[in-house]
Amino acid sequence: MTVDQPPFQAWILGGIDAALGYHRWAVYLASQLLVATGFWAVWRLSLRIVPPAGALVAVVLLEGVLFL
């Protein structure tokens, strides 16, 4: 299987580079914002399936996943 487009991560980093220039703090900030967005998305999705305690468990377990 070939990939015709770069991964979403490359698009985000390219946008940050175009907007701010390459700064380590900007890349680190973007990565932390994306992690927080991912946790929020898992929280919201799991609330549709399980009670809030189960949603919290889902987010905590997601923290233990090394490769997502």
Side-chain angles (χ1 to χ4, degrees):
M1 180 172 116
T2 61
V3 177
D4 295 338
Q5 298 176 354
F8 191 58
Q9 169 192 353
W11 285 103
I12 292 173
L13 291 177
I16 291 170
D17 186 39
L20 301 173
Y22 184 78
H23 297 286
R24 288 185 184 186
W25 66 267
V27 172
Y28 181 76
L29 178 63
S31 68
Q32 294 307 305
L33 290 174
L34 289 173
V35 166
T37 303
F39 284 163
W40 176 81
V42 167
W43 168 263
R44 296 291 298 174
L45 179 63
S46 59
L47 279 177
R48 294 178 175 223
I49 303 167
V50 296
L56 178 62
V57 168
V59 173
V60 170
L61 289 175
L62 180 63
E63 177 64 25
V65 175
L66 296 178
F67 300 100
L68 178 63

